[in-house]
């Protein structure tokens, strides 16, 4: 059985790798080696290997035969597929969290106030951090571990693309309009309105990512011919 210290070390490595992708220090297609991160982070090779395995399962990294582990790069089609699922699950999180947040809205209202301030100040880093907290609030309040874990994995896959969107793109601040709509609907106990606003918010995020140049995306893989049935 894995002990607590070992789990903690693996989580530390996974967090360091995730942050490096989130901030653009590791880029899609970049090959990662166990030796490099063992030396850089001062941890065991087995901890790095396990962190690679976990982040591959989460969709942040990918492993290819003869090439090793690398930061995953999504195709445009994969991005659209991911956002279809993410939108449905974010709307479900709103439905599950709304009763509790309506009864005690102070945390959500304060978070929205901070988002508005970040937009006023043009503070993109702060806005990005608060956007993450906004979505996590609904996931956590929904109290559904499977929903939260799935949304976290979907978000992990998008970290680098989201970072590229944030670079020099003031139109990201426009997405705060849907934050405000969601918040207002939750306070008013309007589930339908809150779900619709969240879906619009996720769709706007998809459009921003799809507006990036083609070299940010992997080439789509040819579809396998499923029309033939072999014995």
């Amino acid at each position: 059985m894995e002990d607590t210290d070992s789990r903690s070390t693996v989580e530390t490595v996974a967090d360091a790798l995730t942050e490096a992708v989130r901030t653009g220090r590791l880029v899609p297609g970049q090959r990662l080696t166990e030796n490099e991160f063992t030396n850089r982070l001062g941890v065991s090779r087995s901890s790095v290997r396990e962190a690679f395995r976990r982040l591959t399962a989460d969709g942040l990294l990918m492993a290819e035969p003869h090439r090793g582990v690398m930061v995953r790069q999504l195709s445009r089609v994969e991005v659209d597929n991911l956002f279809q699922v993410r939108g449905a699950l974010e709307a479900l999180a709103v439905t599950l969290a709304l009763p509790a947040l309506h009864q005690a809205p102070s945390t959500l209202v304060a978070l929205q106030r901070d988002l508005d301030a970040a937009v006023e100040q043009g503070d993109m880093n702060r806005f990005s951090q608060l956007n993450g907290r906004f979505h996590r609030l609904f996931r956590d309040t929904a109290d559904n571990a499977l929903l939260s874990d799935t949304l976290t994995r979907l978000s992990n896959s998008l970290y680098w693309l989201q970072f590229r969107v944030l670079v020099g793109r003031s139109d990201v601040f426009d997405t705060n309009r849907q934050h405000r709509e969601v918040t207002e609907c939750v306070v008013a106990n309007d589930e339908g309105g809150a779900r619709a606003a969240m879906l619009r918010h996720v769709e706007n995020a998809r459009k921003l990512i799809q507006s990036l140049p083609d070299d940010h995306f992997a080439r789509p893989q040819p579809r396998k011919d499923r029309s033939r049935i072999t014995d």
Side-chain angles (χ1 to χ4, degrees), residues 160-185:
W160 188 81
L161 289 168
Q162 288 174 326
F163 168 75
R164 298 311 308 171
V165 165
L166 293 174
V167 177
R169 293 289 299 271
S170 61
D171 50 352
V172 173
F173 289 131
D174 294 340
T175 63
N176 191 48
R177 184 181 304 111
Q178 287 87 46
H179 289 143
R180 197 176 303 114
E181 291 171 351
V182 171
T183 299
E184 290 170 353
C185 287

Side-chain angles (χ1 to χ4, degrees), residues 13 28 31 48 57 98 119 123 128 170:
V13 175
R31 187 168 176 267
V48 173
L98 189 142
V119 173
D123 189 339
S128 177
S170 61

